[in-house]
Amino acid sequence: MNFMSDADSAGEPTGSSTAAELAYVEKFAVLLEHMGLVRMHGRVLALLLVCEPPEQSAPDICAALQASKGSINPALRTLTAAALVEKVAKPGHRRDYYRIKSDAWTQIMRTRASRFTPVIEAADEGIATLADSPPGRLDRLREMRDFYRWFDQELPQLIERWEQWQTQNRANE
Amino acid sequence: MNFMSDADSAGEPTGSSTAAELAYVEKFAVLLEHMGLVRMHGRVLALLLVCEPPEQSAPDICAALQASKGSINPALRTLTAAALVEKVAKPGHRRDYYRIKSDAWTQIMRTRASRFTPVIEAADEGIATLADSPPGRLDRLREMRDFYRWFDQELPQLIERWEQWQTQNRANE
DNA sequence: CAGGATGTTCAGTCGATAATGAACTTTATG
DNA sequence: CATAAAGTTCATTATCGACTGAACATCCTG
């Protein structure tokens, strides 16, 4: 609650803490944008990462980010569809609340990896088409395909290793 | 040589093979664009992936992609700086030739991983700033930071494993 | 040394994309 | 049942970045 500008006071936010936090959210959003998320998705995710409490309603987010419903709503829809954010119901109050999922970051990684699949397929196609070409030409395609194929296979195992290590450590806590 | 339109013949390319190959390059370029490369970089890299011979001059590439020098030149500069493409000298003919590097794909992976470093740093900063906050709030930041920190550490080892496996298999060939 | 081709740089144009804000639908609550 | 808040959708606007094409610099070749 303390995040939003319910107090429509000055142009400059009143609480110093709030101002600093918003600047931090903005900074983080830029980093997420550089990681491939679209701008508004980065902003929302950054906010949900540091907000208190963790659950925020769409109007809350609109107010905090000073953005319109028309931009927040599709962003929340996409983030939810991508399994980075989840809808949670709160007993008493408004309708929909959103919260960042704890496995959002591994999920982003998995999604990024899935982008390689079409590349592998396209390479296979090219290799088939150019079957009767100079060997060097095919080698370039094969080299690429083999790497991504291998990576596509290894990454899930890597993430799984993280999750196991993670749960073990949480148990020790 | 067979790729470029030295013969400024018809609007539709003459050789059916060439037309198909250019279409393939364009398709591949889209995939690379989806993987995060800017459009023209994707096009150039896709061309260099399948062209014959592997070395192409800047004018060759301009002709093949039907793009201007002003766009190809910076693209080649960036791709070279990113170590995805290398300049090679050819004894007799023109000045600069470009060739895709064999480790381009692992290099892309490494570069992408390096984008996580600022995120880790920003998370550290946030954790320090919010030191006296509800524990759940810090947990969200810590969870993310720990994952990326761990991933940043594991990825180079993963790639190294690939390179070893690669060279071993090449020896067996 | 001169001509021509290659490489480099940059301002202007164009297209794409995301955010807005209003119109509309749905759902709680008094 | 009525009212108001929340959610959804969409046409319009604004902003950003890439591509062009021309002007300039540099380097081979005859």
Side-chain angles (χ1 to χ4, degrees), chain A residues 87-149:
Chain A
K87 258 190 201 178
V88 295
K90 267 201 169 182
H93 275 200
R94 294 191 189 82
R95 265 211 298 220
D96 296 344
Y97 279 80
Y98 296 89
R99 180 173 56 192
I100 192 169
K101 290 191 70 176
S102 63
D103 65 345
W105 314 107
T106 57
Q107 189 58 32
I108 283 185
M109 200 62 74
R110 274 188 255 263
T111 303
R112 295 183 81 75
S114 73
R115 299 231 175 108
F116 299 148
T117 309
V119 175
I120 297 171
E121 291 169 359
D124 276 328
E125 184 190 321
I127 290 167
T129 306
L130 301 180
D132 47 356
S133 284
R137 200 179 195 182
L138 285 170
D139 284 347
R140 271 172 283 160
L141 275 171
R142 259 200 285 265
E143 209 162 345
M144 189 200 72
R145 180 200 58 181
D146 291 347
F147 172 66
Y148 281 117
R149 195 192 267 167

Side-chain angles (χ1 to χ4, degrees), chain B residues 5-141:
Chain B
S5 59
D6 258 342
D8 50 354
S9 50
E12 294 291 322
T14 55
S16 64
S17 165
T18 297
E21 283 172 358
L22 282 185
Y24 184 68
V25 165
E26 203 55 37
K27 175 182 174 180
F28 220 112
V30 172
L31 295 177
L32 293 178
E33 193 182 348
H34 281 207
M35 279 176 51
L37 282 77
V38 302
R39 183 167 318 184
M40 192 54 86
H41 298 174
R43 287 212 196 95
V44 172
L45 207 58
L47 176 68
L48 290 177
L49 181 64
V50 301
C51 64
E52 185 63 29
E55 299 84 15
Q56 299 277 321
S57 72
D60 290 344
I61 298 170
C62 289
L65 298 179
Q66 305 204 355
S68 67
K69 293 189 291 179
S71 54
I72 295 300
N73 196 297
L76 284 172
R77 176 187 295 270
T78 304
L79 286 172
T80 307
L84 303 180
V85 161
E86 61 187 347
K87 257 190 200 176
V88 295
K90 266 200 170 182
H93 276 200
R94 294 192 189 83
R95 265 212 295 222
D96 296 343
Y97 279 80
Y98 296 89
R99 180 172 57 192
I100 192 170
K101 291 191 71 176
S102 62
D103 66 345
W105 313 107
T106 55
Q107 189 58 33
I108 283 185
M109 202 61 76
R110 274 189 254 263
T111 302
R112 295 182 82 75
S114 73
R115 298 231 176 108
F116 299 148
T117 310
V119 176
I120 298 171
E121 290 169 358
D124 276 328
E125 184 191 321
I127 291 167
T129 304
L130 301 180
D132 48 354
S133 284
R137 199 180 195 182
L138 286 169
D139 284 347
R140 271 173 281 161
L141 274 170

Side-chain angles (χ1 to χ4, degrees), chain B residues 159-172:
Chain B
I159 294 176
E160 207 169 333
R161 263 176 57 207
W162 161 254
E163 280 165 347
Q164 287 177 3
W165 189 87
Q166 169 89 341
T167 50
Q168 274 189 356
N169 264 41
R170 187 172 286 171
N172 285 0

Side-chain angles (χ1 to χ4, degrees), chain A residues 38-40 66-68 70-71 95:
Chain A
V38 303
R39 183 166 319 184
M40 192 54 87
Q66 305 205 352
S68 66
S71 54
R95 265 211 298 220

